[in-house]
Amino acid sequence: MNRIGTTLAGVTLLALAACATTEPEAPAEPPPPAVRPEVAALYGAVEDNGHHIPAVDPNLLTEDKARQVVDYWTDEAPGTIIVDPHARYLYQVQPGNKAMRYAVAVGAAGYGFTGEAHIPYQRDWPNWKPTDNMVATQPELYGPVEAGLEGGIDNPMGARALYLHNGQGDTYYRIHGTMDPASIGQATSAGCIRLFNQDIIHLAEQTGSMTKVIVLSEAESGKGTVPPGQPLPQPAMMAASQTGVTT
């Protein structure tokens, strides 16, 4: 693990220690149901461009986190990507009121842009460099990697990155992989829109140059997941209300 990975692990341990109490522990909740074998197979180990992507830990997988085809109502053309950061899902529109749905993690930057954009290019195993603001506000975390990191399994950008531009140029909004699969489905402190590395590879393979992207606002969250005219679901209810088949 590189220095940022070690530092992040240390920060996590400190946070857990700060939450410790002397009160009796509550009974452990039962583990989530095991995913079907065909779902687990989607997230097995992968060799990609000289990089080894480990299998996703089965303890981190649930049926609602697996990519799957779901009902989705939109007038947007097939291939369009619709990001719902508040529900923590990304949809790629398919014909016949369907979409491929991916679970995502959303960092602070993931709420910083809404509206329409396009993807002029994507990168395999991209380099990453923390912003000046990240270094200034958290020097102990980002200072050691201020010069940037080459692409790799310990790089926060993961296996692929899709770069969003609009009429004003680069939005600095990215859809990318992750070094932290445990974050998928969560709201996190940094980054834009992150997918399991297995999922970002799958999405990138289906995404051409100049693909249209729509990032929904909080008021629009849930749009497309119910037929026209029906009230939008609350984000917390969306995972339970949508079912589909994985592919």
Side-chain angles (χ1 to χ4, degrees), residues 3-4 15 32 39 55-56 66 68 75 77-78 88 106 124 136 148 159 169 172-174 192 194 208 210 231 234:
R3 297 180 67 181
I4 188 170
V39 173
V56 176
Q68 56 191 274
D75 293 331
R88 294 192 279 280
V106 183
D124 294 1
Y172 297 98
Y173 198 93
R174 312 287 187 246
C192 284
R194 287 178 268 169
M210 303 307 289
Q234 295 298 313

Side-chain angles (χ1 to χ4, degrees), residues 91-176:
Y91 302 87
Q92 188 164 51
V93 178
Q94 296 189 349
N97 294 328
K98 299 290 184 181
M100 179 65 74
R101 188 186 74 184
Y102 303 83
V104 303
V106 183
Y111 300 107
F113 171 82
T114 59
E116 295 186 9
H118 61 273
I119 300 172
Y121 57 90
Q122 56 179 273
R123 294 286 182 265
D124 294 1
W125 297 100
N127 296 339
W128 174 80
K129 187 176 185 296
T131 65
D132 292 341
N133 183 62
M134 292 167 72
V135 174
T137 56
Q138 294 182 278
E140 71 290 345
L141 182 60
Y142 297 110
V145 291
E146 184 175 3
L149 292 172
E150 292 185 359
I153 196 64
D154 292 324
N155 187 303
M157 296 293 282
R160 302 285 188 275
L162 311 180
Y163 297 78
L164 274 65
H165 288 224
N166 61 11
Q168 285 70 53
D170 193 349
T171 66
Y172 297 98
Y173 198 93
R174 312 287 187 246
I175 299 170
H176 56 91

Side-chain angles (χ1 to χ4, degrees), residues 184-195:
I184 299 302
Q186 308 296 319
T188 61
S189 61
C192 284
I193 301 299
R194 287 178 268 169
L195 289 75

Side-chain angles (χ1 to χ4, degrees), residues 180-242:
D180 181 18
S183 68
I184 299 302
Q186 308 296 319
T188 61
S189 61
C192 284
I193 301 299
R194 287 178 268 169
L195 289 75
F196 288 123
N197 279 324
Q198 287 86 345
D199 279 348
I200 191 62
I201 291 173
H202 185 271
L203 175 64
E205 289 174 346
Q206 321 301 318
T207 301
S209 178
M210 303 307 289
T211 289
K212 181 178 180 179
V213 179
I214 300 172
V215 182
L216 302 180
S217 67
E218 185 172 9
E220 296 172 313
S221 184
K223 185 177 180 180
T225 63
V226 294
Q230 291 191 13
L232 297 181
Q234 295 298 313
M237 298 171 56
M238 290 181 60
S241 65
Q242 284 189 295

Side-chain angles (χ1 to χ4, degrees), residues 72-96:
Y72 199 80
W73 292 268
T74 179
D75 293 331
E76 298 296 336
T80 302
I81 291 173
I82 300 176
V83 182
D84 190 339
H86 301 277
R88 294 192 279 280
Y89 283 124
L90 178 151
Y91 302 87
Q92 188 164 51
V93 178
Q94 296 189 349

Side-chain angles (χ1 to χ4, degrees), residues 1 3-16 141 179:
M1 182 179 290
R3 297 180 67 181
I4 188 170
T6 302
T7 304
L8 287 170
V11 170
T12 301
L13 289 174
L14 287 172
L16 290 173
L141 182 60
M179 61 183 285

Side-chain angles (χ1 to χ4, degrees), residues 36-80:
R36 290 168 290 144
E38 59 267 31
V39 173
L42 299 175
Y43 297 95
V46 178
E47 299 296 328
D48 181 77
N49 293 338
H51 299 277
H52 175 74
I53 302 173
V56 176
D57 186 333
N59 293 323
L60 302 178
L61 278 177
T62 55
E63 293 283 344
D64 62 297
K65 287 185 181 180
R67 65 177 182 260
Q68 56 191 274
V69 176
V70 298
D71 293 331
Y72 199 80
W73 292 268
T74 179
D75 293 331
E76 298 296 336
T80 302

